[in-house]
């Protein structure tokens, strides 16, 4: 079709062959094959070149549209291959959406401006299920035990350790807290924490473990899934929490006090997680590359 369109545009086979960077004989052969296949004469030869017949004119009108759409499709497919079109379904817990994630998203937007980015706030089990079933492409997660999480999920996901993120005590804004807080001191208050998970031990598992090791009291642990809900209740003086340092620095409407932890485990490992059993589109692999470059230095800076 492209050959026919070029012949009509240039008015001769020789000029069309030159524009197509080919010799004239194969162009003539292709035209003859097209006329034979369609069972109709497409071009009339004149002393000045060729002109389309009535059937050729109809084919030319439709053919130009077909060639144009074909070129557009090829360009879009090429952009898909370069990772600049498509979609990215990313799981990220809210503290990282507010802190470390904007940096990598800004870098990603510069190289893949047309990718549709969906950010999902899912629990670890939901994120892992999404990675396994193809409804999630990448997850930014934290674990209290990298080796155990990697072992538990070795058959379904890849994990890349980005670095350590600092944990702090999050306290009501009453102004009488000591300079540092121990786990045993936190156990004297209701403590908000996400639920413990069996496949990807995280903050909820860490809180349970550290309170068991460092306190003789039976702690009052209140399960809360959402970060903002934790901050609201701590700010209201209902209890205390442990969270990522950077996510608790400025919270408009939910003032809290931050104190370092003085004992036990005081960091989580920030992990980049993606599926192992399926081939990923270029838009996703490009994000993985940028995330390693942009997030790892930030994570190490907090350790």
């Amino acid at each position: 079709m492209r050959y026919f369109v070029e012949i009509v545009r240039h008015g001769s086979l020789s000029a069309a062959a030159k524009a197509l960077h080919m010799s004239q004989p194969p162009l003539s052969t292709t035209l003859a094959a097209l006329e034979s296949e369609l069972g109709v004469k497409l071009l009339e030869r004149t002393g000045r070149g060729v002109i389309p017949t009535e059937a050729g004119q109809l084919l030319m009108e439709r053919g130009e549209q077909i060639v144009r759409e074909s070129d557009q499709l090829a360009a879009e497919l090429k952009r898909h291959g370069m990772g600049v079109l498509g979609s990215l379904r990313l799981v990220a817990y809210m503290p990282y959406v507010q802190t470390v994630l904007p940096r990598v998203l800004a870098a990603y937007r510069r190289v893949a401006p047309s990718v549709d980015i969906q950010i999902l706030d899912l629990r670890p089990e939901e994120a892992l299920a999404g990675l396994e079933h193809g409804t999630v492409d990448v997850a930014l997660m934290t674990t209290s035990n990298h080796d155990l999480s990697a072992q538990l999920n070795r058959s379904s996901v890849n994990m890349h350790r980005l670095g350590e993120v600092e944990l702090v005590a999050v306290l009501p804004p009453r102004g009488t807290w000591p300079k540092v807080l121990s786990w045993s001191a936190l156990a004297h208050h209701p403590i908000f924490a996400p639920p413990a998970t069996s496949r990807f031990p995280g903050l909820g598992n860490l809180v349970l473990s550290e309170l068991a090791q460092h306190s003789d009291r039976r702690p009052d642990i209140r399960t809360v899934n959402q970060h903002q809900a934790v901050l609201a209740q701590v700010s209201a003086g209902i209890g205390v929490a442990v969270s990522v340092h950077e996510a608790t620095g400025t919270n408009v409407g939910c003032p809290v006090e931050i104190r370092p932890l003085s004992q036990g485990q005081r960091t989580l490992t920030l992990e980049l997680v993606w599926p192992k059993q399926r081939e990923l589109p270029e838009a996703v692999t490009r994000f993985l590359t940028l995330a390693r470059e942009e997030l790892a230095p930030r994570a190490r800076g907090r350790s």
Side-chain angles (χ1 to χ4, degrees):
M1 183 62 68
R2 185 182 301 277
Y3 289 174
F4 174 76
V5 168
E6 289 298 325
I7 292 170
V8 175
R9 284 175 178 172
H10 289 85
S12 77
L13 272 73
S14 59
K18 184 176 180 180
L20 292 166
H21 305 288
M22 61 187 297
S23 61
Q24 185 172 331
L27 189 58
S28 299
T29 301
T30 301
L31 175 61
L34 181 61
E35 289 180 323
S36 176
E37 180 181 351
L38 297 177
V40 64
K41 191 172 182 61
L42 298 173
L43 296 175
E44 292 284 357
R45 287 165 175 79
T46 70
R48 302 180 61 181
V50 293
I51 59 173
T53 63
E54 185 176 346
Q57 185 60 44
L58 176 61
L59 181 60
M60 179 64 180
E61 292 172 1
R62 302 288 178 84
E64 284 187 310
Q65 181 180 350
I66 292 171
V67 170
R68 184 166 55 251
E69 291 177 350
S70 176
D71 288 342
Q72 291 172 349
L73 178 59
E76 289 189 13
L77 290 173
K78 184 176 181 180
R79 294 178 72 196
H80 267 289
M82 295 170 61
V84 295
L85 278 180
S87 64
L88 176 71
R89 298 161 299 180
L90 169 66
V91 169
Y93 183 47
M94 192 53 64
Y96 308 114
V97 174
Q98 298 170 330
T99 56
V100 300
L101 191 56
R103 179 177 178 179
V104 70
L105 290 181
Y108 186 64
R109 180 59 67 193
R110 289 193 291 270
V111 300
S114 298
V115 172
D116 176 33
I117 302 172
Q118 302 173 44
I119 299 177
L120 310 170
D121 185 10
L122 302 178
R123 294 190 296 273
E125 293 89 346
E126 296 171 330
L128 292 169
L131 290 166
E132 293 167 355
H133 298 144
T135 58
V136 171
D137 298 313
V138 186
L140 185 64
M141 304 168 69
T142 50
T143 178
S144 57
N145 190 325
H146 169 85
D147 293 338
L148 178 58
S149 293
Q151 177 69 16
L152 290 171
N153 300 284
R154 65 187 183 280
S155 64
S156 58
V157 299
N158 296 296
M159 291 173 53
H160 177 79
R161 187 199 304 256
L162 293 169
E164 303 302 307
V165 290
E166 180 185 353
L167 295 173
V168 291
V170 186
L171 312 165
R174 71 185 191 194
T176 58
W177 298 102
K179 291 183 178 181
V180 295
L181 263 291
S182 65
W183 286 98
S184 56
L186 290 176
H188 287 80
H189 307 272
I191 182 166
F192 297 104
T197 62
S198 58
R199 287 189 57 189
F200 208 91
L203 179 58
N205 300 73
L206 185 147
V207 170
L208 285 173
S209 174
E210 294 301 318
L211 288 175
Q213 289 185 54
H214 299 290
S215 174
D216 296 330
R217 302 173 62 92
R218 182 176 181 179
D220 178 9
I221 299 177
R222 303 183 182 184
T223 301
V224 180
N225 282 308
Q226 302 204 344
H227 179 66
Q228 287 302 122
V230 170
L231 294 179
Q233 294 187 77
V234 171
S235 181
I238 300 173
V240 300
V242 173
S243 187
V244 177
H245 183 275
E246 289 187 337
T248 55
T250 56
N251 298 282
V252 177
C254 293
V256 295
E257 292 195 28
I258 306 301
R259 294 291 187 273
L261 293 167
S262 64
Q263 62 184 164
Q265 184 172 341
R266 289 167 281 178
T267 63
L268 291 173
T269 305
L270 186 60
E271 306 277 356
L272 195 62
V273 188
W274 67 98
K276 181 175 286 186
Q277 301 298 336
R278 59 188 169 95
E279 185 176 353
L280 299 178
E282 186 67 22
V284 178
T285 58
R286 179 165 293 197
F287 178 84
L288 291 171
T289 299
L290 281 172
R292 292 188 189 99
E293 295 172 355
E294 299 292 335
L295 293 183
R298 182 70 170 269
R300 285 196 297 268
R302 296 304 311 166
S303 60

